Amino acid sequence: MVRILFVIMFIAVSCSSSDKVQIRDLSKDFPTTIELQGEVMNIPSDSLDDCLYFDIIGNYGVVCGQYGSRILTTIDLNNGSINKSLTKGRGPGEFTNFNVLVSDSLYYLMQISPTMYHNTSDYYELCDCGDGLISKYGSFVVSDSLYTTPSVLFSSSNLIYDLSSSTPYYDGSMRCAVYDNSGELMDSIGNILDLKECYVNDLEFNLANFGGWYSKLRGVDCFVFCPFRGAYLEFYDCSDYLNKSMERVVYSIPKMDVEVIEGGYSARPTPDCIVGFTDIASSAENYYCLYVGITQEEAVARRYNNSSPDVYLYSAKGEPLHHYKLDRDVKNIAVTPNGEYLYAWSPNEETLEPQIVRYTLP
């Protein structure tokens, strides 16, 4: 087994890096805007709870929530009917602690082990078999050193984990760890140097760069990452793993206050830190990125209701293509594999009841 010794090193130097990173202008990357009008789907509002993850498998939309009674709801996108639900609990088809992973046409809802360190993650595998969305039970093998579920699943069954899952205070320069399906650590990818501004006794602290969203192109081993704080995108091409590459597009780097606390450190975004991209969806060719572009102070004032009408389209290589302006603020987005439709989860502005809106893409 390949083993990596994670050494936490905090260097007493200034960690402002804005002068080392080329900061791009979103408006210059997307000089024109295409306005889209949506169609609200006829789905009973009481059949939808909140939405953390939203994606598409075949003819079905899959909504995964946290705060309502339903963990997962599948919706027939042809007629709006509810096809299946998984609920909270400890019985058959019920979940307690969970996470979600989407890979190509499969959607894995994983039951996380009640212990922090575990060897397997149980999951339900949802797939469109032509006569409805079905599920089967299985498990992932993961490393003893990890206490989270994978971020990306490759066609080879290799698993991509955020390296922050390997230790609470990881200070290395790479973003992702690659494991094979037997739990062997194979590689680390994604250099994250110079992507932060931290403020506390000139403390170097890479935790500011961890945590975010991943989305994989349908049918090919390419994926994109965007952070919870700051505004940048990393486009990974691992289709030829021996010649894998990453392209980064930076609009704003994270600004963090780091505090020494008993037993470790705490990193918090500064009030002027930008909350940039908040959801990503993928077709077979392109990435669709929902952008909010507010400060952390504004996000707190909005109680983290980070919805927006602005969706930016990038190619697999990270080339800016189109800026779509939707006719309403939306929280989560999903795209059909062929890029024909964009679906958005969005509460009604007046009643606040959850709705799903369909947009025809040009």
Side-chain angles (χ1 to χ4, degrees):
M1 175 182 292
V2 179
R3 296 184 182 275
I4 295 178
L5 177 62
F6 297 109
V7 180
I8 304 174
M9 300 178 63
F10 300 103
I11 306 171
V13 295
S14 171
C15 66
S16 175
S17 58
S18 58
D19 57 338
K20 302 176 185 178
V21 178
Q22 180 182 359
I23 307 297
R24 294 167 58 166
D25 189 319
L26 195 62
S27 62
K28 291 182 179 179
D29 275 358
F30 297 89
T32 60
T33 297
I34 301 173
E35 296 186 357
L36 299 180
Q37 297 294 316
E39 171 194 2
V40 178
M41 298 190 64
N42 185 22
I43 302 172
S45 61
D46 60 0
S47 64
L48 297 173
D49 288 332
D50 67 310
C51 180
L52 289 179
Y53 304 93
F54 182 29
D55 216 295
I56 294 171
I57 306 172
N59 295 320
Y60 295 90
V62 183
V63 177
C64 187
Q66 181 179 19
Y67 299 108
S69 61
R70 300 174 183 86
I71 296 296
L72 179 144
T73 302
T74 62
I75 304 157
D76 189 323
L77 297 177
N78 292 322
N79 56 30
S81 64
I82 302 301
N83 185 69
K84 185 180 180 64
S85 292
L86 298 177
T87 57
K88 291 180 180 178
R90 300 182 181 275
E94 296 180 334
F95 281 72
T96 51
N97 299 317
F98 67 94
N99 205 343
V100 170
L101 174 65
V102 179
S103 179
D104 298 328
S105 61
L106 300 179
Y107 194 103
Y108 301 93
L109 184 74
M110 289 172 280
Q111 175 74 42
I112 302 175
S113 169
T115 58
M116 178 171 290
Y117 299 99
H118 57 282
N119 292 312
T120 61
S121 280
D122 301 330
Y123 68 86
Y124 278 82
E125 177 183 303
L126 304 177
C127 53
D128 183 4
C129 297
D131 56 353
L133 201 63
I134 66 170
S135 65
K136 73 175 184 179
Y137 181 78
S139 63
F140 280 119
V141 177
V142 297
S143 169
D144 286 336
S145 64
L146 300 169
Y147 55 91
T148 187
T149 43
S151 301
V152 178
L153 172 62
F154 281 163
S155 56
S156 61
S157 297
N158 288 342
L159 304 168
I160 306 298
Y161 287 84
D162 195 303
L163 265 175
S164 63
S165 64
S166 298
T167 172
Y169 305 108
Y170 177 67
D171 193 48
S173 63
M174 308 302 283
R175 179 173 310 287
C176 302
V178 184
Y179 286 80
D180 66 17
N181 57 10
S182 67
E184 293 276 348
L185 177 60
M186 299 174 58
D187 198 1
S188 57
I189 57 177
N191 192 302
I192 63 171
L193 292 176
D194 300 331
L195 286 174
K196 62 189 174 303
E197 288 185 359
C198 304
Y199 309 97
V200 61
N201 301 326
D202 294 328
L203 182 68
E204 186 82 20
F205 201 69
N206 279 343
L207 185 64
N209 291 291
F210 283 113
W213 290 271
Y214 293 79
S215 184
K216 179 182 175 296
L217 285 186
R218 309 292 180 108
V220 64
D221 288 344
C222 298
F223 65 94
V224 66
F225 166 84
C226 73
F228 291 138
R229 297 295 182 268
Y232 62 86
L233 298 162
E234 293 176 350
F235 300 89
Y236 292 82
D237 185 348
C238 300
S239 53
D240 178 1
Y241 195 79
L242 294 178
N243 297 295
K244 57 186 177 292
S245 63
M246 185 268 283
E247 297 292 334
R248 182 183 290 122
V249 177
V250 182
Y251 300 107
S252 177
I253 61 176
K255 297 181 179 180
M256 309 294 288
D257 279 324
V258 181
E259 179 183 0
V260 180
I261 61 176
E262 183 178 355
Y265 300 87
S266 171
R268 300 189 306 274
T270 64
D272 62 339
C273 180
I274 294 297
V275 178
F277 298 97
T278 58
D279 197 23
I280 313 174
S282 300
S283 67
E285 296 181 352
N286 299 313
Y287 299 106
Y288 299 74
C289 305
L290 182 66
Y291 183 78
V292 176
I294 60 177
T295 66
Q296 172 68 15
E297 185 175 38
E298 292 171 321
V300 172
R302 291 169 55 164
R303 297 184 179 180
Y304 295 100
N305 178 25
N306 296 333
S307 56
S308 169
D310 295 301
V311 176
Y312 292 90
L313 178 64
Y314 292 84
S315 73
K317 297 183 180 297
E319 301 160 331
L321 298 178
H322 300 297
H323 170 212
Y324 297 130
K325 175 75 74 172
L326 309 184
D327 58 352
R328 61 193 289 172
D329 286 350
V330 303
K331 180 186 174 187
N332 298 87
I333 56 175
V335 179
T336 53
N338 62 4
E340 182 178 4
Y341 296 109
L342 181 145
Y343 291 84
W345 189 92
S346 172
N348 182 288
E349 293 183 355
E350 296 181 357
T351 65
L352 300 182
E353 293 180 340
Q355 293 179 329
I356 292 179
V357 187
R358 176 167 51 206
Y359 296 88
T360 301
L361 295 172

